[in-house]
């Protein structure tokens, strides 16, 4: 029996593998990667490395074995048809007879276009008959704290979310929940709505950055159209800019407030406040 993590060198997958290494022997972990060089540190610790690509179904033929617990980390190639990519993993997992397939999805309340691929994948997973666990991850603190450079440069947080609030948490928090599901018992056919313990809004976010930097940072709420234009002006492809701006519209409607408490329960600790992630980012 192995615990298999796809996208294992990505932002979330790396956290999952690192936390798994604290709980189970390295030889019980398989890291699925496209570029084995990026997983050299895992290999050095005894983690098995499998090279496979969501875009090449045949590469998954021998990745899974009967009884494996698998974490399917959702792909980030928005232009490649993510449900089809995920179907490749679901099909291979079904053929192998895995014990559990956990999938990193999006909150059930999210109606933005970003959620469409996740809903389609959830439907495919349920239709497969595999024992599943839906990890409906809310937004990551790092989605904002990793982009502090323009905030500090222009002394402004610019979003199209109005007074909307977000129950975000750190990637490490979401990874801890995934590890709990992969290493624990009784998570078959479960759905977890995952989000941070404390919701916050962008005016508070701007005030926190001000407090920690000593700079006066404003929150400029703009329209979805204006925000889309700002993102494309910064070099993002039009479709992706539209998807991200659409998430802000959902935030304004309260769709990224998650009050289930599932994340801190699974992680076994309180979630990371946005203030802490800001402090980490500023130190970096």
């Amino acid at each position: 029996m192995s615990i298999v993590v796809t996208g294992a060198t990505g932002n979330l997958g790396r956290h999952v593998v690192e936390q798994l290494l604290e709980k189970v022997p390295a030889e019980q972990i398989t890291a699925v990667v496209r570029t084995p060089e990026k997983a050299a540190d895992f290999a050095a610790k005894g983690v098995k490395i499998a090279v496979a690509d969501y875009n090449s179904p045949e590469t998954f033929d021998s990745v899974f074995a009967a009884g494996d617990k698998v974490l399917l980390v959702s792909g980030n190639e928005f232009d490649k048809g993510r449900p089809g990519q995920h179907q490749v993993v679901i099909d291979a997992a079904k053929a192998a007879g895995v014990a559990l397939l956990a999938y990193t999805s999006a909150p059930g309340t999210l109606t933005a276009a970003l959620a469409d691929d996740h809903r389609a994948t959830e439907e495919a997973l349920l239709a497969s008959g595999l024992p599943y666990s839906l990890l409906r991850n809310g937004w990551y603190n790092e989605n904002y704290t990793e982009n502090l450079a323009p905030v500090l440069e222009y002394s402004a947080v610019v979003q199209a979310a109005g007074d909307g609030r977000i129950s975000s948490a750190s990637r490490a928090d979401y990874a801890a929940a995934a590890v709990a599901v992969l290493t624990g018992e009784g998570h078959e056919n479960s759905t977890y709505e995952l989000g941070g313990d404390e919701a916050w809004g962008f005016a508070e976010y701007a005030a926190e950055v001000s407090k920690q930097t000593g700079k006066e940072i404003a929150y400029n709420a703009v329209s979805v159209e204006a925000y889309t234009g700002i993102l494309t002006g910064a070099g993002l492809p039009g479709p992706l800019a539209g998807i991200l701006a659409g998430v802000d519209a959902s935030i304004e409607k309260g769709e990224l407030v998650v009050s289930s408490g599932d994340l801190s329960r699974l992680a076994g600790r309180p979630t990371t406040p946005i203030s802490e992630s800001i402090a980490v980012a500023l130190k970096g």
Side-chain angles (χ1 to χ4, degrees), residues 4-43:
V4 186
V5 180
T6 73
T9 53
N11 287 328
L12 180 65
R14 183 164 278 282
H15 277 290
V16 172
V17 175
E18 286 168 353
Q19 291 186 38
L20 279 171
L21 283 165
E22 297 170 9
K23 294 245 178 132
V24 299
E27 60 269 19
Q28 288 183 18
I29 306 167
T30 299
V32 182
V33 300
R34 282 193 294 199
T35 311
E37 293 77 20
K38 290 185 182 173
D41 56 328
F42 292 152

Side-chain angles (χ1 to χ4, degrees), residues 9 21 44 49-50 58 61 67 80 84 110-111 121 128 166 177 185 187 204-205 219 232 234 263 266 268 272 275:
T9 53
L21 283 165
I49 308 300
E58 69 282 359
D61 285 349
K80 294 268 181 79
L110 186 65
T111 62
T121 303
S128 74
I166 313 170
E185 297 299 327
H187 297 289
E204 293 164 75
Y205 180 72
Y219 169 41
T232 52
L263 181 53
L266 282 172
T272 307
S275 57

Side-chain angles (χ1 to χ4, degrees), residues 14 21 29 31 40 44 65 73 75 105 112 144 156 174 203 217 238 251 257 266 272:
R14 183 164 278 282
L21 283 165
I29 306 167
V73 177
S105 190
Y144 302 103
Y174 291 105
I217 308 287
I251 290 170
V257 173
L266 282 172
T272 307

Side-chain angles (χ1 to χ4, degrees), residues 144-155:
Y144 302 103
T145 60
E146 286 179 354
N147 295 301
L148 278 173
V151 170
L152 298 176
E153 183 181 348
Y154 298 108
S155 299

Side-chain angles (χ1 to χ4, degrees), residues 43-105:
K45 291 176 181 171
V47 173
K48 293 178 193 161
I49 308 300
V51 180
D53 188 324
Y54 295 155
N55 299 306
S56 304
E58 69 282 359
T59 61
F60 275 94
D61 285 349
S62 58
V63 169
F64 307 124
D68 283 352
K69 289 185 176 178
V70 179
L71 177 65
L72 168 54
V73 177
S74 57
N76 59 5
E77 295 175 311
F78 293 92
D79 57 339
K80 294 268 181 79
R82 292 195 298 170
Q85 291 181 325
H86 299 156
Q87 187 73 54
V88 166
V89 179
I90 293 168
D91 290 346
K94 184 175 172 79
V98 305
L100 180 74
L101 181 58
Y103 171 65
T104 61
S105 190

